[in-house]
Amino acid sequence: MTGSRPTFRHGSLAWFLQRVTAVVLLFTLAFHFLWLHFVNHAAEVTLWGSALRMDRLSYLLLMVVFLLTAAFHGINGIYNALVNEGLSGRARRVTAWVLAIAGTILVVQGLRVSVALAGVVN
Amino acid sequence: MSAPYDRGRIEDFGRFRRFSAGMWAWVLHKATGWVLIGYLFAHIAVLSTAIPAAGNAEAIAAEADLYTRTLQGLEGIFLVRVLEVGLLTAAVFHMVNGIRLLLVDLGIGLERQVQTFYASLVVTAVIVLASIPVFLPPEVVPW
């Protein structure tokens, strides 16, 4: 099936992690939507309420896992899509670096937000 | 000698009529993926208002801090609520179709890809329609 796409390295670690993060995201994304739209309504979100949620270690860890898996799955997904469209050579290497840097900034900023929220209650 | 006539976009657009269910599933999975990663960056940017807001205990207690005002201000805009329904649609389709892809990767449902794609669309539509009252203000939702 993938024979026509020589740039898609079926069986690589990135391919495996893309599937693993997909499974994790099925649960974390569904939980996030349910918890922040159906149980708690987005229109009623306050900093104090978010801080109370993030004060629970289990919730904080879940959100960090959510952030890491979503960042990897999304950034690697974009890279795979571009490679499948024929991205190659120098443009491919530059794109990989730009996406890696963007993903790192996303994760670092997300962790900073998590730490800020978790520090409000204490 | 005359230059060849460039049919351009018209010919490209004609290709869409030849798309199969599998190709539409592939296109929609990629498109919703782009929407979701784009939203993730925007979401973290909005949530970053928590960083400067976290140090002001009085404003937090009064629910007048930057984070609360930003999030509640956005939720007060009707267009944002509509876009949230669009985001839910993209997320649900990506998840349901993702389950379908995971199963196909495991060799399950390989010969029923067309039917499972249509099932993904139906499941997405049902979940999104049932969720609309949660996202849109009650005065807008007739049910």
Side-chain angles (χ1 to χ4, degrees):
Chain A
M1 189 172 73
T2 55
S4 60
R5 296 180 198 158
T7 48
F8 185 78
R9 289 179 298 161
H10 192 279
S12 70
L13 178 64
W15 180 88
F16 176 72
L17 288 176
Q18 189 73 358
R19 267 67 189 168
V20 171
T21 52
V23 174
V24 174
L25 284 167
L26 284 174
F27 295 97
T28 50
L29 182 56
F31 171 79
H32 191 63
F33 255 112
L34 281 173
W35 206 249
L36 289 171
H37 283 284
F38 292 81
V39 178
N40 300 284
H41 294 283
E44 295 156 6
V45 165
T46 63
L47 181 56
W48 183 246
S50 296
L52 279 178
R53 280 189 288 274
M54 292 297 264
D55 192 46
R56 289 178 68 119
L57 184 61
S58 55
Y59 188 90
L60 173 65
L61 290 176
L62 187 69
M63 289 303 105
V64 170
V65 168
F66 182 30
L67 172 70
L68 294 174
T69 50
F72 178 85
H73 191 85
I75 296 290
N76 190 51
I78 288 177
Y79 180 68
N80 283 342
L82 294 174
V83 169
N84 284 341
E85 287 298 316
L87 188 71
S88 61
R90 188 166 180 267
R92 178 175 170 166
R93 287 193 299 278
V94 171
T95 303
W97 274 105
V98 169
L99 288 174
I101 292 167
T104 304
I105 292 171
L106 181 74
V107 168
V108 169
Q109 187 64 4
L111 291 175
R112 289 183 69 217
V113 170
S114 302
V115 169
L117 284 171
V120 168
V121 175
N122 300 321
Chain B
M1 197 184 343
S2 62
Y5 180 65
D6 181 12
R7 294 169 65 98
R9 291 178 183 277
I10 296 173
E11 193 159 79
D12 286 342
F13 185 73
R15 282 190 208 159
F16 282 83
R17 289 161 54 187
R18 296 200 297 271
F19 273 21
S20 62
M23 184 59 92
W24 278 117
W26 183 82
V27 167
L28 289 176
H29 200 76
K30 297 293 169 194
T32 52
W34 279 100
V35 169
L36 292 171
I37 187 66
Y39 176 75
L40 181 58
F41 276 91
H43 193 44
I44 293 297
V46 170
L47 296 183
S48 294
T49 53
I51 297 171
N56 191 339
E58 282 181 23
I60 293 170
E63 297 184 356
D65 57 87
L66 180 63
Y67 175 92
T68 305
R69 282 189 287 119
T70 303
L71 265 67
Q72 293 192 353
L74 285 170
E75 286 294 315
I77 301 169
F78 178 69
L79 178 62
V80 171
R81 300 287 194 103
V82 174
L83 289 174
E84 279 181 344
V85 177
L87 179 71
L88 178 76
T89 309
V92 172
F93 175 79
H94 201 84
M95 290 166 78
V96 175
N97 192 56
I99 293 171
R100 173 180 163 275
L101 292 177
L102 285 168
L103 291 173
V104 167
D105 269 347
L106 295 170
I108 302 167
L110 201 59
E111 63 291 337
R112 294 215 178 260
Q113 284 194 63
V114 173
Q115 292 93 327
T116 52
F117 167 62
Y118 291 128
S120 299
L121 291 178
V122 171
V123 170
T124 301
V126 169
I127 292 175
V128 170
L129 287 173
S131 304
I132 283 177
V134 175
F135 286 85
L136 297 185
E139 61 271 20
V140 177
V141 182
W143 68 90

